Amino acid sequence: MEAPQYVAARVQQALAEDGRTHELGIRVDIRGDQLFLRGQVSGSEQRRRLGQVAHEVAPELHVHNEINVVEANKPGEDEHLD
């Protein structure tokens, strides 16, 4: 069995390099047979794709997609700069 930190590194590399995701800021934590994805992305479709890529790279693990979707300024909202 591959050491958890190597699996996590492999998943992180895939999330960064896969043409569907290209996401650098995602944390990958592995505890036993559980894989946790944490971080923030700008859309629910991107969140879903990240979970899919993680599952493809580590199909033996149960993927918990805990990535938050943060909306880039909703239309009609003013950005307040202090």
Side-chain angles (χ1 to χ4, degrees), residues 29-36 60-64:
D29 295 312
I30 296 177
R31 299 209 177 81
D33 65 349
Q34 312 291 307
L35 184 153
F36 297 88
E60 71 282 4
L61 299 178
H62 300 284
V63 176
H64 298 275

Side-chain angles (χ1 to χ4, degrees), residues 4-82:
Q5 63 267 32
Y6 294 127
V7 178
R10 210 158 32 91
V11 171
Q12 266 185 317
Q13 184 175 7
L15 298 179
E17 294 178 356
D18 192 288
R20 293 167 290 175
T21 51
H22 285 301
E23 198 69 55
L24 293 170
I26 303 301
R27 281 203 329 279
V28 179
D29 295 312
I30 296 177
R31 299 209 177 81
D33 65 349
Q34 312 291 307
L35 184 153
F36 297 88
L37 296 176
R38 297 189 177 107
Q40 294 185 333
V41 295
S42 60
S44 56
E45 182 61 25
Q46 176 74 338
R47 178 184 186 275
R48 187 192 63 74
R49 282 193 298 260
L50 288 161
Q52 182 180 354
V53 170
H55 177 71
E56 289 170 11
V57 174
E60 71 282 4
L61 299 178
H62 300 284
V63 176
H64 298 275
N65 193 337
E66 299 181 354
I67 296 170
N68 293 319
V69 175
V70 290
E71 299 299 327
N73 284 343
K74 295 181 183 79
E77 274 189 19
D78 290 330
E79 199 172 316
H80 298 286
L81 302 174
D82 292 327

